């Protein structure tokens, strides 16, 4: 017995017809129908995508329809009288209707027959719209029409409807003309009439079948026009109704057929003249895009007129979606790419123990290893081969939080006694930093090393303690006070100076102490602060800066190195702090995203000296630029760092926890991506290695990704076991520098040929390919592939949403290069006296150096042969060579070899005087050029933040974005930005607020939660 509150699903459910429903029972009779038809060329591929989206994919592949030919018929018609033929409703009355419809001839491949499909229909009668939609599934929308009565005198006809010109929160729907047919030339012929549809068909074959005809498929076109007269072939629709509680879900869905049979034909004729069809481009009605038309203005191949009566019969469901409440199916998520952003997304999505009831996650990764730009591999003697120098910073709150969780969970895979089992064994804080500068003196200039030992600070990154923007400013002021108090300049006695016209002033120390005391008096709650207090604090800081400037100038003129170093710090920090205070950025942190000019320019506007505000003069500022490779196209003469992003970076850097840097105690692959992989694998995430994304197909409307194409780069010998990517090096699971050839069918050929499966220019012939279809194989894409590669992935990039295209055009990337040296001398023997250091702003192009001796015990060189490990890196000039230039990697490597040789000859001896010892030897060397699109570093050049997209702003309904190239609140190329972006991508998928679960001040000082402001003059879609 069925429940009294739930209708029995096997019993018919009576339709409740009540006043106002405008429901009449089928069949329907239409009398005195006048139809104008215009045949236009269309694209088979575009039409197939539309049929896939609207019929094939919804049926899960049970039904399959294809276009019959590369054409559609755009029809304008009048139905003088239409009424129900069904006896209960026959006597209720009739209505008239005007209509504009697009007719597409399709093939039902399952049943091997022809039908008609209508992607767009517009009517001017509410009865016609209600009956068409609710009974059959006609996609009818309301319109306003101008349709002539007589084809002999017809000059134009048109249809207007409500459209959204562009998709954006600010777009209002407007009534606009969407389709117009216009006679552009007279043919001189009279209107030609035909007695039968067969006569019309014969005439059309003569018109279309000649050498100059528009169609190769003339017979298909002619047969289709004939059927428009006879109405012998059925129509097919997708009938669906949305569920009210879950947006994007249908509570009913079916593929319906119905017959519209002509009962009398009064008139058949060709419409004379030449006609063109104008279609207005509108985001809500992408007709030209859906049909693959040649443009918004197209020529009609032929036009005809038919007058007839017809009966629209009962419909038939040829496929119906399951009506029983289905068991909720997990959302199928395809994560493309295995970098930090992708891994953070996967870790967040799977953090709940019941995640598999909600998601089915597969990571697709080209080649044999995860990591993206952070991937590392083990080479000869288990040496760690990195993409460059990877050191984490003490403000990486979210990245460390995730790593702490990963290490805690991964203990199940690493028993007690395993190396680097705890997160704080894998990461060690490092506080000795140095910059180099050419200091002017009487003899010209000389290289100077300015070391700085940052103090330990409370806490550790990822411990959950929160930091506000005001706290960061306080750290900056307290740091200024400490630096000045500890300086040699202050200790020598910066007494008040006396000179004509100058009033004695208090000492600089008093100014900074007064500023510090005043800052402490300001309430730490931003809501209780005032612009007046900020202005006063800024004035006190500026007074301190000016006081120092007046007293330190003689030292600068004399080339006193430590005084110049002090001056740069004070001038830069005060200019930054006062600029933020005066500008109101601390009261409205979201304004930082509007600070889009170049950092040097902004600093000068805040009164900074050229010594502190120009990269060419300031070693400290240059170190910041070197840290993020902030040079357009790698050209050291073109520094560019957006001020708002640079300010964030500086404030975060000085607000570090524990140590300013945290060095990994093995390769980044070993310390980060190995544990991430093991945890995700244990949780049940699937990995498909050797899957390079070769193409992303957009839907006809350009609003989603219909298909993902992969090059399958290698075949597993045992696919049921999957690929085991890790090897054990010194008891530590690690990624090898090359694939595990013994697991691959093509392993011997790959190894023998030395093919690089990660290279954009590889000549390896892939053994296979794979295509995933939306709605069948995946529901959601996490696009975690690096920005540089995206322009090469979309098969029709011109169809991408406009903001996506603007992001690809305006957010830049840069090449980088790196050198790793394993030497037989320790620091003392090399006569480097400053200790274990991270050094920046040295000679280009290898301007950054880090001592990495902690890695010696993780590698397998013969005992005592390697006493020092050193990493060098920097930006590299050059764009992305065409794929056909298969020698591009070798050319770039030759450039680095030459630069490295020059550096070792003329740059390195200043740092290592002991390398001139005859016993000094480079035991091993590894050079790396990161020129592949996936490996290029993402820049934050001036004016680029506004073009970045949030994780949920792809404009593609089934794509979220993950990577440091997104608008994530930090907007700079680093692990923390990529991690935040991954968290945001996870939040977008789960329907949470974008910044839920993000620690630190990022959500406070970014506009990520509310979204980016529209780009001036650009439609936001």
């Amino acid at each position: 017995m069925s429940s009294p509150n739930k209708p029995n699903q096997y019993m018919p459910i009576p339709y409740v017809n009540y006043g106002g429903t405008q429901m009449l029972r089928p069949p329907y009779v239409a009398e005195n129908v006048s139809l104008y038809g215009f045949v236009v060329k269309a694209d088979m591929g575009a039409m197939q995508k539309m049929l896939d989206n609207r019929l094939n994919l919804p049926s899960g592949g049970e039904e399959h329809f294809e276009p019959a030919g590369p054409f559609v018929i755009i029809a304008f018609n009048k139905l003088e009288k239409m009424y129900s033929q069904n006896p209960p409703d026959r006597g209720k009355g009739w209505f008239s209707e005007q209509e504009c419809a697009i007719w597409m001839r399709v093939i039902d491949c399952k049943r091997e027959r022809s039908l008609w499909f209508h992607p767009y229909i517009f009517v001017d009668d509410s009865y016609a719209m209600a009956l068409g939609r609710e009974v059959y599934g006609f996609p009818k929308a309301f319109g306003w029409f101008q349709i002539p009565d007589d084809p002999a005198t017809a000059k134009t006809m048109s249809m207007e409807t409500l459209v959204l010109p562009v998709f954006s929160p600010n777009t209002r729907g407007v009534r606009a003309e969407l389709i117009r047919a216009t006679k552009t030339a007279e043919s001189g012929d009279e209107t030609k009439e035909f007695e039968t549809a067969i006569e019309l068909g014969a005439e059309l074959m003569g018109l279309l079948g000649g050498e100059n005809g528009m169609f190769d498929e003339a017979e298909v076109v002619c047969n289709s026009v004939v059927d428009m007269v006879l109405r012998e072939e059925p129509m097919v629709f997708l009938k669906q109704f949305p569920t009210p509680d879950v947006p994007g879900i249908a509570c009913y869905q079916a593929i319906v057929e119905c017959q519209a049979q002509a009962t009398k034909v009064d008139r058949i004729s060709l419409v004379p003249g030449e006609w063109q069809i104008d279609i207005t481009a509108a985001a809500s009605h992408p007709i030209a895009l859906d049909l693959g038309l040649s443009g918004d203005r197209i020529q009609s191949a032929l036009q005809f007129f038919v007058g007839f009566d017809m009966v629209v019969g009962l419909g038939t469901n040829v496929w119906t979606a399951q009506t029983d409440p289905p068991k909720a199916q997990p959302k199928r998520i395809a994560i493309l790419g295995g970098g930090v952003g992708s891994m953070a997304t996967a870790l967040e999505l799977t953090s709940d123990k019941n995640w598999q009831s909600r998601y089915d996650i597969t990571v697709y990764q080209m080649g044999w290893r995860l990591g993206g730009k952070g991937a590392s591999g083990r080479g000869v003697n288990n040496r760690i081969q990195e993409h460059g120098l990877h050191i984490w910073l003490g403000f990486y709150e979210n990245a460390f939080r995730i790593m702490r969780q990963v290490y805690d969970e991964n203990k199940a895979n690493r028993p007690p006694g395993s190396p680097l089992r705890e997160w704080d064994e894998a990461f060690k804080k490092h506080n000795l930093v140095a910059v180099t500068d050419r200091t002017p003196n009487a003899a010209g200039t000389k290289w100077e090393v300015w070391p700085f030992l940052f103090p330990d600070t409370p806490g550790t990154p990822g411990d959950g303690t929160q930091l506000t923007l005001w706290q960061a400013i306080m750290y900056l002021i307290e740091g200024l006070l400490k630096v000045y108090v500890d300086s040699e300049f202050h200790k020598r006695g910066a007494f008040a100076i006396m000179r004509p016209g100058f009033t004695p002033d208090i000492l600089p120390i008093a100014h900074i102490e007064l500023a510090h005391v005043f800052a402490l008096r300001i309430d730490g709650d931003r809501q209780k602060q005032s612009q007046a207090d900020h202005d006063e604090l800024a004035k006190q800081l500026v007074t301190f800066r000016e006081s120092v400037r007046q007293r330190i100038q003689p030292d600068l003129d004399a080339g006193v190195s430590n005084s110049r170093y002090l001056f740069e710090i004070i001038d830069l920090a005060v200019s930054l702090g006062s600029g933020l205070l005066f500008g109101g950025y601390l009261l409205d942190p979201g304004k930082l995203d509007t600070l889009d000019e170049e950092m040097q320019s902004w600093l000068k506007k805040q009164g900074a000296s050229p010594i502190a505000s120009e990269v060419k003069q300031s070693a400290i500022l240059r170190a910041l630029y070197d840290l993020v490779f902030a040079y357009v196209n790698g050209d050291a003469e073109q520094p560019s760092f957006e001020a708002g992003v640079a300010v964030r970076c500086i404030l975060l850097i000085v607000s570090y926890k524990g140590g300013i840097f945290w060095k990994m105690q093995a390769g980044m692959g070993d310390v980060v991506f190995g544990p991430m992989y093991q945890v995700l694998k244990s949780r049940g995430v699937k990995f498909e290695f050797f899957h390079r994304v070769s193409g992303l197909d957009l839907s006809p409307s350009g609003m989603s990704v219909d298909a993902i194409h992969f090059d399958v780069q290698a075949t597993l010998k045992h696919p049921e076991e999957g690929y085991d990517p890790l090897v054990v090096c010194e008891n530590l699971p690690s990624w090898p520098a090359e694939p595990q050839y013994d697991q691959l069918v093509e392993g011997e050929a790959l190894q023998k040929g030395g093919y690089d499966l990660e290279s954009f220019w590889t000549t390896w012939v892939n053994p296979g390919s794979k295509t995933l279809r939306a709605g069948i194989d995946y529901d959601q894409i996490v696009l975690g592939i690096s920005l540089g590669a995206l322009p090469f992935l979309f098969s029709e990039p011109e169809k991408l949403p406009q903001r996506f295209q603007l992001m690809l055009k305006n957010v830049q990337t840069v090449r980088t290069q790196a050198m790793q040296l394993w030497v037989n001398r320790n620091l003392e023997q090399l006569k480097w006296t400053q200790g274990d250091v991270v050094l920046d702003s040295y000679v280009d192009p290898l301007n950054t150096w880090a001592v990495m001796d902690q890695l010696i015990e993780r590698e397998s060189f013969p005992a005592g042969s390697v006493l020092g490990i050193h990493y060098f890196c920097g930006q590299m000039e050059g764009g992305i060579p065409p794929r056909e230039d298969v020698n591009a990697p070798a050319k770039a490597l030759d450039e680095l070899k030459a630069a490295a040789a020059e550096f070792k000859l003329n740059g390195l001896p200043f740092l290592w005087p002991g390398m001139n010892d005859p016993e000094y030897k480079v035991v091993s060397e590894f050079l790396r050029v990161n020129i592949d699109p996936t490996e290029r570093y993402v820049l934050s050049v001036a004016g680029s933040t506004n073009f970045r997209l949030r994780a949920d702003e792809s404009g593609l309904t089934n794509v979220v974005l993950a990577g440091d190239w997104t608008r994530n609140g930090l907007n700079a190329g680093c692990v923390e930005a990529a991690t935040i972006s991954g968290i945001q991508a996870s939040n977008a998928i789960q329907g949470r607020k974008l910044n839920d679960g993000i620690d630190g001040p990022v959500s406070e000082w970014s506009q990520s939660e509310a979204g980016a402001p529209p780009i001036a003059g650009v439609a936001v879609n």
Side-chain angles (χ1 to χ4, degrees):
M1 177 179 290
S2 63
S3 166
N5 296 318
K6 181 179 181 181
N8 190 319
Q9 61 180 325
Y10 300 108
M11 297 293 291
I13 303 173
Y15 183 87
V16 180
N17 200 347
Y18 49 86
T21 62
Q22 299 191 327
M23 182 55 58
L24 301 173
R25 296 172 178 84
Y28 307 106
V29 175
E31 297 178 354
N32 298 328
V33 180
S34 303
L35 181 146
Y36 293 85
F38 299 86
V39 180
V40 299
K41 287 182 72 73
D43 179 73
M44 294 284 283
M47 292 191 291
Q48 184 62 64
K49 287 183 179 180
M50 183 165 57
L51 290 173
D52 287 344
N53 182 55
R54 302 195 190 185
L55 296 175
N56 300 335
L57 292 178
S59 72
E62 292 185 34
E63 304 294 324
H64 186 75
F65 298 86
E66 295 180 356
F71 68 94
V72 294
I73 298 174
I74 299 176
F76 288 87
N77 44 307
K78 291 183 175 182
L79 292 78
E80 185 175 299
K81 185 176 183 179
M82 192 163 186
Y83 54 87
S84 170
Q85 196 181 46
N86 199 301
D89 291 338
R90 174 65 187 87
K92 289 185 177 180
W94 59 274
F95 56 87
S96 297
E97 172 190 349
Q98 294 187 94
E99 179 181 288
C100 178
I102 295 175
W103 293 66
M104 179 191 298
R105 191 89 175 276
V106 300
I107 304 298
D108 180 348
C109 298
K110 184 176 180 179
R111 300 168 185 85
E112 298 183 347
R113 58 192 180 137
S114 298
L115 305 94
W116 288 101
F117 175 68
H118 300 82
Y120 292 93
I121 309 180
F122 303 89
V123 297
D124 67 347
D125 184 90
S126 58
Y127 266 94
M129 187 165 69
L131 295 175
R133 278 181 175 266
E134 295 187 29
V135 176
Y136 303 109
F138 281 89
K140 290 187 175 182
F142 200 82
W144 293 267
F145 298 85
Q146 177 193 351
I147 303 176
D149 294 323
D150 187 355
T153 59
K155 302 291 185 183
T156 185
M157 55 198 78
S158 64
M159 183 276 297
E160 297 179 358
T161 189
L162 287 174
V163 303
L164 294 169
V166 297
F167 289 148
S168 86
N170 300 320
T171 300
R172 178 180 180 179
V174 295
R175 175 176 166 176
E177 183 177 276
L178 189 62
I179 302 176
R180 173 175 288 272
T182 306
K183 180 186 283 190
T184 57
E186 299 287 349
S187 63
D189 300 330
E190 296 183 358
T191 303
K192 192 166 186 178
E193 306 281 346
F194 302 91
E195 292 292 328
T196 67
I198 302 303
E199 291 180 12
L200 173 65
E203 178 75 12
L204 295 181
M205 279 300 296
L207 293 173
L208 297 175
E211 292 184 5
N212 297 323
M214 288 181 65
F215 294 98
D216 296 329
E217 303 82 355
E219 185 175 355
V220 176
V221 178
C222 293
N223 289 341
S224 299
V225 173
V226 168
D227 190 73
M228 288 281 287
V229 177
L230 300 177
R231 301 296 177 111
E232 293 178 343
E233 294 179 351
M235 298 175 286
V236 63
F237 313 97
L238 176 66
K239 179 179 178 179
Q240 60 179 348
F241 297 101
T243 184
D245 56 337
V246 183
I249 299 298
C251 60
Y252 175 86
Q253 199 170 66
I255 294 176
V256 178
E257 287 183 10
C258 83
Q259 187 83 39
Q261 183 73 47
T263 56
K264 180 178 71 169
V265 178
D266 298 316
R267 186 177 180 183
I268 307 171
S269 67
L270 290 177
V271 179
E274 296 180 6
W275 289 72
Q276 75 179 22
I277 309 296
D278 291 300
I279 299 176
T280 301
S284 56
H285 296 77
I287 296 175
L289 200 61
D290 283 346
L291 301 177
L293 304 181
S294 58
D296 296 330
R297 172 167 291 179
I298 50 179
Q299 189 70 29
S300 171
L302 63 91
Q303 43 282 337
F304 59 92
F305 176 86
V306 186
F308 59 95
D309 295 346
M310 68 175 176
V311 173
V312 182
L314 300 176
T316 302
N317 281 23
V318 297
W319 171 85
T320 306
Q322 183 180 355
T323 55
D324 292 334
K327 180 181 178 182
Q329 296 297 314
K331 179 180 285 189
R332 294 160 296 190
I333 298 175
I335 298 181
L336 307 183
V340 172
S342 293
M343 294 298 95
T345 305
L347 287 163
E348 289 290 293
L349 288 173
T350 60
S351 59
D352 183 272
K353 64 179 180 180
N354 296 319
W355 72 269
Q356 285 176 298
S357 64
R358 302 173 61 197
Y359 306 115
D360 178 359
I361 300 175
T362 304
V363 176
Y364 295 91
Q365 172 65 48
M366 74 170 176
W368 66 97
R369 59 182 174 178
L370 301 176
K373 296 186 289 292
S376 68
R378 296 300 190 114
V380 60
N381 293 311
N382 287 330
R383 71 178 189 182
I384 296 164
Q385 298 174 184
E386 298 275 10
H387 275 64
L389 174 60
H390 298 293
I391 297 179
W392 287 33
L393 280 86
F395 73 82
Y396 285 5
E397 192 66 20
N398 296 280
F400 271 107
R401 173 177 58 80
I402 285 181
M403 288 312 303
R404 291 165 78 134
Q405 295 167 352
V406 165
Y407 270 78
D408 187 57
E409 188 172 341
N410 202 40
K411 289 177 182 177
N413 296 312
R414 297 189 179 182
S418 299
L420 310 187
R421 189 169 184 255
E422 304 284 348
W423 81 269
D424 53 1
E425 295 173 351
F427 295 88
K428 297 291 186 182
K429 61 186 174 184
H430 178 95
N431 283 326
L432 180 59
V433 179
V435 297
T436 59
D437 193 29
R438 285 189 178 274
T439 303
N441 59 20
T445 61
K446 63 175 181 177
W447 277 108
E448 296 277 356
V449 176
W450 295 344
F452 192 88
L453 182 62
F454 284 83
D456 287 355
T457 61
T460 53
D463 62 11
T465 56
Q466 296 300 308
L467 171 73
T468 66
L469 185 56
W470 182 252
Q471 286 175 302
I473 287 293
M474 288 301 301
Y475 290 153
L476 188 72
I477 295 172
E478 290 165 358
L480 270 176
L481 176 58
K482 178 173 175 51
V483 166
Y484 189 76
V485 168
D486 292 344
S487 69
E488 290 296 322
F489 178 75
H490 171 66
K491 291 175 181 177
R492 291 203 313 265
F495 300 109
I497 59 175
M498 293 287 292
R499 67 171 182 264
F502 182 79
T503 303
D505 195 5
I506 60 174
L507 299 177
I509 186 64
H511 289 302
I512 186 59
E513 286 178 340
L514 285 172
H516 183 230
V517 170
F518 185 84
L520 289 172
R521 291 175 47 216
I522 298 176
D523 195 301
D525 184 349
R526 175 160 50 92
Q527 303 302 322
K528 299 177 181 179
Q529 297 175 4
S530 70
Q531 185 60 51
D533 281 344
H534 286 202
D535 288 345
E536 179 59 32
L537 178 57
K539 291 175 184 177
Q540 294 189 18
L541 290 174
V542 169
T543 301
F544 166 62
R545 181 186 66 189
E546 298 308 311
S547 177
V548 171
R549 281 182 181 178
Q550 292 167 354
R551 290 161 174 76
I552 208 169
Q553 189 60 48
D555 280 12
L556 299 181
D557 294 339
V560 179
S561 176
N562 55 29
S563 291
R564 181 182 174 92
Y565 179 38
L566 175 68
F567 176 78
E568 283 193 31
I569 293 175
I570 291 174
D571 211 78
L572 177 61
V574 169
S575 299
L576 184 149
S578 62
L580 290 176
L581 290 161
F582 278 135
Y585 296 101
L586 302 184
L587 295 176
D588 183 9
K591 287 177 62 178
L592 281 173
D593 275 350
T594 68
L595 196 55
D596 60 357
E597 64 183 300
E598 214 286 317
M599 180 63 168
Q600 298 172 94
S601 173
W602 183 78
L603 285 172
K604 290 174 183 176
K605 290 179 181 178
Q606 313 316 312
S609 163
I611 293 176
S613 63
E614 294 181 4
V615 169
K616 287 187 176 181
Q617 296 198 55
S618 171
I620 297 173
L621 189 62
R622 188 164 65 251
L624 177 68
Y625 278 60
D626 289 350
L627 181 69
V628 292
F629 307 102
Y631 303 95
V632 176
N633 200 37
D635 183 357
E637 298 301 315
Q638 297 188 67
S640 184
F641 198 0
E642 189 171 277
V645 181
V647 166
R648 284 194 186 97
C649 290
I650 293 172
L651 293 176
L652 285 168
I653 289 170
V654 301
S655 307
Y656 63 90
K657 291 183 180 179
I660 189 167
F661 288 140
W662 290 73
K663 282 187 177 181
M664 288 175 279
Q665 303 302 296
M668 187 157 174
D670 313 332
V671 169
V672 176
F673 295 105
M676 283 182 170
Y677 168 76
Q678 289 181 305
V679 166
L680 289 171
K681 189 76 172 174
S682 297
R683 289 181 181 179
V685 173
K686 292 171 283 189
F687 289 84
E688 293 284 356
F689 291 95
F690 306 103
H691 279 62
R692 178 198 287 271
V693 178
S694 58
L696 299 174
D697 289 350
L698 296 175
S699 64
S701 66
M703 299 301 292
S704 64
V705 172
D706 272 357
I708 310 169
H709 301 288
F710 295 97
D711 291 331
V712 179
Q713 299 171 294
T715 311
L716 300 183
K717 290 180 179 179
H718 304 288
E720 70 283 356
E721 298 177 6
Y723 180 69
D724 183 6
L726 301 178
V727 296
V728 177
C729 299
E730 299 295 326
N731 297 316
L732 187 66
S734 306
W735 301 88
E738 298 178 4
Q740 303 264 56
Y741 296 115
D742 59 339
Q743 298 183 39
L744 307 176
V745 173
E746 301 82 11
E748 184 177 352
L750 280 166
Q751 187 173 25
K752 185 176 180 180
Y755 295 100
D756 182 359
L757 296 183
E758 295 175 334
S759 174
F760 184 66
W761 299 274
T762 183
T763 57
W764 172 249
V765 179
N766 299 299
S769 62
K770 180 188 292 185
T771 296
L772 304 183
R773 300 288 180 184
I776 297 174
D777 304 302
Y778 67 89
D779 304 301
Q780 186 81 53
I781 296 172
V782 176
L783 188 55
I785 297 171
S786 191
L787 177 67
L790 298 189
F792 302 97
L793 298 184
F794 290 95
S795 55
E796 298 173 282
E798 70 279 0
K799 287 170 56 177
L800 283 165
Q802 191 173 24
R803 285 193 65 202
F804 201 111
Q805 294 185 48
L806 287 168
M807 176 193 67
L808 295 180
K809 181 180 179 181
N810 291 281
V811 182
Q812 300 182 29
T813 61
V814 66
R815 291 179 173 188
T816 62
Q817 55 191 330
M819 174 177 71
Q820 296 172 225
L821 297 180
W822 290 259
V823 299
N824 67 341
R825 288 291 182 264
N826 59 31
L827 292 177
E828 182 180 357
Q829 293 167 324
L830 290 173
K831 298 183 180 178
W832 168 258
T833 60
Q834 303 292 349
D836 181 357
V837 73
V838 175
L839 178 143
D840 226 326
S841 62
Y842 195 42
V843 292
D844 288 319
L846 298 171
N847 49 45
T848 301
W849 164 46
V851 178
M852 302 297 283
D853 291 351
Q854 78 276 11
L855 304 180
I856 293 175
E857 65 176 307
R858 304 297 169 204
E859 300 176 342
S860 305
F861 286 91
S865 64
V866 172
L867 300 181
I869 300 178
H870 305 274
Y871 288 8
F872 303 85
C873 69
Q875 75 280 357
M876 186 179 195
E877 290 191 45
I880 301 176
R883 185 167 258 148
E884 299 76 29
D885 186 1
V886 296
N887 295 317
K891 294 175 187 175
L893 187 60
D894 285 343
E895 290 180 31
L896 174 54
K897 287 178 180 177
E902 169 66 20
F903 178 76
K904 286 184 284 187
L905 181 65
N906 295 314
L908 199 50
F910 169 73
L911 302 176
W912 299 352
M915 68 180 291
N916 294 319
D917 185 328
E919 299 299 317
Y920 164 81
K921 183 175 70 172
V922 175
V923 178
S924 189
E925 178 180 89
F926 177 67
L927 302 177
R928 174 89 192 192
V929 287
N930 298 307
I931 69 169
D932 278 84
T934 56
E935 296 170 350
R936 291 171 64 92
Y937 185 89
V938 180
L939 296 176
S940 303
V941 300
S944 64
T945 289
N946 205 29
F947 292 98
R948 288 177 176 245
L949 300 177
R950 300 186 315 181
D952 61 350
E953 283 187 328
S954 72
L956 304 169
T957 56
N958 58 353
V959 177
V960 297
L961 310 176
D964 59 6
W965 46 273
T966 65
R967 191 178 186 127
N968 48 67
L970 190 50
N971 306 332
C974 66
V975 167
E976 179 72 352
T979 302
I980 292 171
S981 178
I983 298 171
Q984 291 170 337
S986 170
N987 288 338
I989 292 171
Q990 297 183 76
R992 299 174 176 170
K993 289 184 177 180
L994 210 61
N995 286 330
D996 276 2
I998 292 177
D999 295 331
V1002 170
S1003 59
E1004 177 195 12
W1005 61 33
S1006 77
Q1007 295 182 358
S1008 290
E1009 196 71 48
I1015 300 168
V1018 171
V1020 180
N1021 54 355

